[in-house]
Amino acid sequence: MLRIIGGKHRSRLIQTPEEGTVPTKNRVREACFSAISHYLVGARVLDLFAGSGALGLEALSRGAKEAVFVDSNPKACRNIKDNLVSLKEEGEVLNADYLSALTKLNDKHFDLVFLDPPYADKDYYQKAIDYLLSHHMLSSASVVVVEYEGELNLDRSGFEYSKDYRYGYTRLIILREAKI
């Protein structure tokens, strides 16, 4: 079980899948949300590779308007749905691989995107960002948060701003203001 760190659901427990996902550590979530706090209120959020859904749920707790959660693990999707009900929040949960989900969401625009795929699948990061940019799925002042471990070569040319953070083995890249 994890706790929501801030916002209206602060300290509420959320269910996490027993296996197959590694939730973002509290310290990393807290630092991430501190860095993006100005972009949360009213945001349309995409939690791609949602796993426990902790990032999208945290965003909803802190004032995001809507969230879409995507994960290929059916158990993870059930947990996210249960958490949404428990928190009395609305959200769309798609049980699909990320490219199929992005295709289904092609007509939507997002203000905040969380990318946290399984760390071994490094090519997912660039493919997801390329799809979001090429299909104009990011709003004009969007923020993309990338969580990874190890090394990641990421083309950041579609963004005007990027900042790197390191928390032990975990690293975050915050990309902002996509050029659309």
Side-chain angles (χ1 to χ4, degrees):
M1 296 279 247
L2 285 178
R3 288 193 188 276
I4 299 288
I5 295 169
K8 65 184 175 184
H9 301 302
R10 181 185 176 136
S11 298
R12 293 279 307 271
L13 289 173
I14 57 172
Q15 297 176 32
T16 58
E18 292 179 18
E19 56 186 59
T21 64
V22 180
T24 301
K25 295 174 186 81
N26 285 350
R27 181 174 148 220
V28 177
R29 274 190 294 131
E30 190 168 351
C32 170
F33 281 92
S34 179
I36 63 171
S37 62
H38 300 312
Y39 303 96
L40 289 168
V41 176
R44 293 161 299 181
V45 176
L46 173 60
D47 191 349
L48 203 55
F49 311 99
S52 69
L55 296 171
L57 294 167
E58 188 79 41
L60 287 170
S61 179
R62 293 173 183 242
K65 179 174 137 183
E66 61 186 66
V68 176
F69 300 85
V70 175
D71 203 277
S72 60
N73 180 335
K75 289 179 183 176
C77 290
R78 276 194 300 279
N79 277 348
I80 294 167
K81 288 177 182 177
D82 290 345
N83 287 326
L84 286 166
V85 169
S86 171
L87 296 172
K88 296 182 174 112
E89 290 285 356
E90 296 291 322
E92 182 178 355
V93 181
L94 297 176
N95 182 203
D97 71 86
Y98 76 104
L99 283 175
S100 297
L102 288 173
T103 302
K104 288 178 187 174
L105 299 168
N106 212 1
D107 60 340
K108 294 197 177 213
H109 294 86
F110 297 98
D111 305 306
L112 177 58
V113 177
F114 294 106
L115 293 179
D116 183 14
Y119 293 149
D121 298 316
K122 299 286 190 203
D123 59 327
Y124 288 3
Y125 295 93
Q126 192 65 58
K127 287 179 181 177
I129 287 173
D130 290 345
Y131 192 97
L132 290 164
L133 288 170
S134 67
H135 290 83
H136 308 288
M137 295 176 72
L138 300 174
S139 67
S140 61
S142 62
V143 174
V144 177
V145 177
V146 177
E147 181 181 337
Y148 69 101
E149 285 186 4
E151 296 299 318
L152 180 64
N153 295 320
L154 194 64
D155 177 8
R156 303 175 191 202
S157 62
F159 300 88
E160 294 176 4
Y161 171 88
S162 88
K163 179 138 183 166
D164 295 76
Y165 298 88
R166 183 177 183 154
Y167 306 96
Y169 293 111
T170 304
R171 297 176 187 209
L172 291 179
I173 301 171
I174 296 180
L175 303 165
R176 194 172 62 219
E177 298 179 8
K179 298 175 188 173
I180 299 179

